[in-house]
Amino acid sequence: MSGTASYHNSSQEEYIPHYLQKEDPFASKLSREADIIAGFYLTIIGILSTLGNGYVIFMSSKRKKKLRPAEIMTVNLAVCDLGISVVGKPFSIISFFCHRWMFGWIGCRWYGWAGFFFGCGSLITMTAVSLDRYLKICHLSYGTWLKRHHAFICLAIIWGYATFWATVPFAGLGSYAPEPFGTSCTLDWWLAQASVAGQAFVLSILFFCLLFPTAVIVFSYVKIILKVKSSTKEVAHYDSRIQNSHILEMKLTKVAMLICAGFLIAWIPYAVVSVWSAFGQPDSVPIQLSVVPTLLAKSAAMYNPIIYQVIDCKFACCRSGGLKAKSSLKKSRTYTISAHRDSTAMNETQLE
């Protein structure tokens, strides 16, 4: 009892996270109506994400031997998004509809691990894609060196990287904890309020799993945009084969840029709230407001297949238009040659 009393007496100097302030950290802090709305929202997001990413994986498997390195990375991104939808979302959907987290601390830690694992895998995959695009567009000598087996080596590094950082909290350096609204779980950002070790853990996660990958992505696409602006006129003088290759590379680059933009737009609000919870005044964020960035971040897995299909259809339309133009040009050439031959034959007949 004396230890408990001294703990509460020091509560004014030491921050007590929300999940230790009440007996039941998994009770929903939202209204039942808000939980039902959030449950329906996540159900729709989960279904669309599962169908979309499943379709991307299925269609890619039909031409798996012809996939380029950037397309292999796109498939890996779809696998990560599908993992979030299948492994993670059912837990939060059930909990929202039940108005409380239903799976206890073990389920909370599993859900937090799975969300962080697949989320980190998605971001590092997009980082690898941005580097691939950068090398293909800005450094052709390195770009032609990259082959399919390099992409598979990169996949092994990505999964190892995500596994390491998602598992670090289980080694006693961090933890997973319920969100302030109670019906979802995440990394324990609130450890930074309690100790220097907690601050070191949170800062490491922020740098290696958010800031550094984002900086690489931004650097790569800024350099690509500058390169494309300066080389557009040069490509126009190349032959059709080089032009077609350039068009395909730019199509893959557009897909990668839009996917990265969608991911960052979805996750940055959540990252801002998380950083504020770690180093600012976490209790100053209203609980009703804290759920919005979480739901927005969970929708990131739905955007990628939509972006991929829109760009792919646009590219297919442009390609079919080019084929029609080539076909009409070929027909006109054939007609001209045949007309020339006919006129030559008529002249020879007249001479005879």
Side-chain angles (χ1 to χ4, degrees), residues 218-238:
V218 172
F219 167 81
S220 298
Y221 289 124
V222 167
K223 297 292 286 185
I224 287 171
I225 292 171
L226 295 176
K227 180 67 176 180
V228 168
K229 285 185 177 181
S230 63
S231 63
T232 302
K233 293 182 180 180
E234 297 176 5
V235 175
H237 297 290
Y238 295 156

Side-chain angles (χ1 to χ4, degrees), residues 7-308:
Y7 179 79
H8 286 289
N9 289 333
S10 63
S11 62
Q12 293 180 350
E13 299 178 0
E14 184 178 352
Y15 174 74
I16 301 176
H18 61 276
Y19 53 87
L20 294 179
Q21 295 176 5
K22 297 182 179 180
E23 294 182 359
D24 188 0
F26 299 122
S28 176
K29 312 305 186 297
L30 303 173
S31 65
R32 186 172 292 275
E33 292 76 13
D35 276 336
I36 292 174
I37 293 173
F40 276 115
Y41 169 81
L42 287 181
T43 301
I44 295 172
I45 294 296
I47 292 173
L48 293 177
S49 175
T50 302
L51 293 177
N53 289 292
Y55 175 76
V56 171
I57 295 171
F58 173 73
M59 294 302 294
S60 299
S61 66
K62 299 176 73 173
R63 50 185 296 268
K64 56 186 177 181
K65 294 183 178 180
K66 298 181 180 180
L67 292 176
R68 301 160 69 89
E71 293 174 313
I72 293 173
M73 293 298 171
T74 302
V75 175
N76 190 63
L77 186 60
V79 171
C80 292
D81 292 338
L82 185 65
I84 292 175
S85 301
V86 173
V87 176
K89 281 189 174 62
F91 287 82
S92 55
I93 291 172
I94 293 172
S95 297
F96 274 117
F97 282 126
C98 293
H99 197 51
R100 64 171 287 107
W101 178 259
M102 298 296 296
F103 306 98
W105 278 104
I106 294 177
C108 181
R109 294 187 179 99
W110 159 252
Y111 177 85
W113 180 91
F116 184 53
F117 172 73
F118 288 114
C120 181
S122 295
L123 184 58
I124 303 304
T125 300
M126 286 184 283
T127 305
V129 170
S130 69
L131 286 174
D132 173 79
R133 298 294 85 210
Y134 170 70
L135 294 174
K136 288 283 188 180
I137 303 297
C138 300
H139 299 280
L140 296 178
S141 58
Y142 291 101
T144 54
W145 176 77
L146 293 173
K147 304 299 181 184
R148 280 170 55 93
H149 66 275
H150 296 112
F152 291 113
I153 293 173
C154 189
L155 291 184
I157 296 173
I158 290 169
W159 288 109
Y161 193 91
T163 301
F164 173 78
W165 285 108
T167 311
V168 160
F170 294 130
L173 302 176
S175 183
Y176 294 100
E179 300 267 15
F181 51 87
T183 48
S184 181
C185 293
T186 184
L187 279 169
D188 193 347
W189 302 104
W190 302 270
L191 285 174
Q193 299 281 347
S195 65
V196 176
Q199 293 177 358
F201 163 73
V202 172
L203 287 173
S204 299
I205 292 291
L206 287 173
F207 179 78
F208 289 104
C209 301
L210 179 63
L211 297 179
F212 178 69
T214 302
V216 172
I217 290 171
V218 172
F219 167 81
S220 298
Y221 289 124
V222 167
K223 297 292 286 185
I224 287 171
I225 292 171
L226 295 176
K227 180 67 176 180
V228 168
K229 285 185 177 181
S230 63
S231 63
T232 302
K233 293 182 180 180
E234 297 176 5
V235 175
H237 297 290
Y238 295 156
D239 59 33
S240 59
R241 186 177 63 180
I242 296 177
Q243 287 180 355
N244 291 337
S245 177
H246 180 76
I247 291 172
L248 179 58
E249 294 296 342
M250 291 311 302
K251 172 238 177 179
L252 295 173
T253 303
K254 288 179 181 178
V255 171
M257 290 178 68
L258 288 174
I259 286 175
C260 290
F263 184 91
L264 293 176
I265 290 172
W267 278 95
I268 282 176
Y270 180 79
V272 171
V273 172
S274 299
V275 170
W276 185 254
S277 298
F279 301 102
Q281 298 178 352
D283 294 334
S284 64
V285 180
I287 292 178
Q288 291 75 11
L289 183 62
S290 68
V291 71
V292 176
T294 302
L295 295 178
L296 179 62
K298 292 179 186 298
S299 68
M302 180 188 68
Y303 305 145
N304 298 342
I306 297 175
I307 293 170
Y308 185 81

Side-chain angles (χ1 to χ4, degrees), residues 328-344:
S328 62
L329 180 61
K330 185 177 179 180
K331 287 181 180 179
S332 65
R333 287 178 177 175
T334 304
Y335 177 76
T336 303
I337 293 171
S338 63
H340 176 71
R341 288 177 177 174
D342 291 343
S343 63
T344 302

